[in-house]
Amino acid sequence: MIRYALSCDHDHAFEGWFGSSSDYDDQAARGLLECPLCGSKGVRKQIMAPAVAGTKAQKSAPAVDPKMREMMMTAMGEVRRQVEENFDYVGDRFAKEARDIHEGKSEERGIYGEASAKEVKALVEDGVKIAPLPPAAPKKTEVN
Ligand SMILES: [Zn+2]
């Protein structure tokens, strides 16, 4: 059995149990799904990973759902991709360049590169706006 978190077009949240994901698709296609609260047939899956029942108990630590994690990693990978495409790579000159831009000595633009922890600390202390670059998106083969 697969549990799906569903919601209707009135944003009522409820759960549905299905024999398989194709079971859900089948019922949805035939208009058999309706909101138990308002009877709306505008039912859709919430953006959430299905919980699979009957598998061995999860470890007690509040683990991040692997599907959620994958989505987050993909989103972060997208940010990284945008940065890599649109920002100037300055390598280990990052700290100097970021400071020069901050002080108006260098052309204002997006840059990325490497900096030591010490450099990062100094930049932050001086009010230079920097952020760690998210990791690259995992390759499909690395996920499961
Ligand atoms: Zn409803």
Side-chain angles (χ1 to χ4, degrees), residues 8 10 12 35 37-38:
C8 78
H10 296 103
H12 297 133
C35 174
L37 300 170
C38 68

Side-chain angles (χ1 to χ4, degrees), residues 58-66:
Q58 302 259 322
K59 295 219 171 71
S60 55
V64 177
D65 187 296

Side-chain angles (χ1 to χ4, degrees), residues 10-138:
H10 296 103
D11 285 331
H12 297 133
F14 55 98
E15 290 181 346
W17 288 89
F18 301 91
S20 65
S21 58
S22 60
D23 199 20
Y24 166 85
D25 292 337
D26 183 55
Q27 291 191 36
R30 287 157 59 196
L32 297 177
L33 300 175
E34 62 176 47
C35 174
L37 300 170
C38 68
S40 166
K41 292 196 186 284
V43 171
R44 64 189 183 277
K45 271 189 267 193
Q46 287 183 32
I47 302 173
M48 195 179 284
V52 179
T55 55
K56 58 180 178 256
Q58 302 259 322
K59 295 219 171 71
S60 55
V64 177
D65 187 296
K67 279 270 198 281
M68 185 62 80
R69 185 165 184 279
E70 187 187 339
M71 279 170 53
M72 285 166 57
M73 293 299 284
T74 303
M76 288 195 295
E78 180 62 20
V79 171
R80 187 185 177 104
R81 199 179 61 78
Q82 291 284 346
V83 167
E84 288 178 348
E85 276 183 13
N86 300 308
F87 286 23
D88 260 358
Y89 179 69
V90 296
D92 58 11
R93 290 186 296 111
F94 178 82
K96 180 180 184 321
E97 201 62 28
R99 190 177 296 277
D100 283 354
I101 291 170
H102 179 68
E103 292 171 359
K105 290 185 206 156
S106 190
E107 183 199 348
E108 174 125 23
R109 67 201 196 280
I111 58 167
Y112 72 105
E114 290 94 44
S116 69
K118 198 174 147 198
E119 285 170 336
V120 167
K121 188 165 177 286
L123 287 170
V124 171
E125 280 172 2
D126 292 345
V128 181
K129 289 200 195 81
I130 56 170
L133 194 59

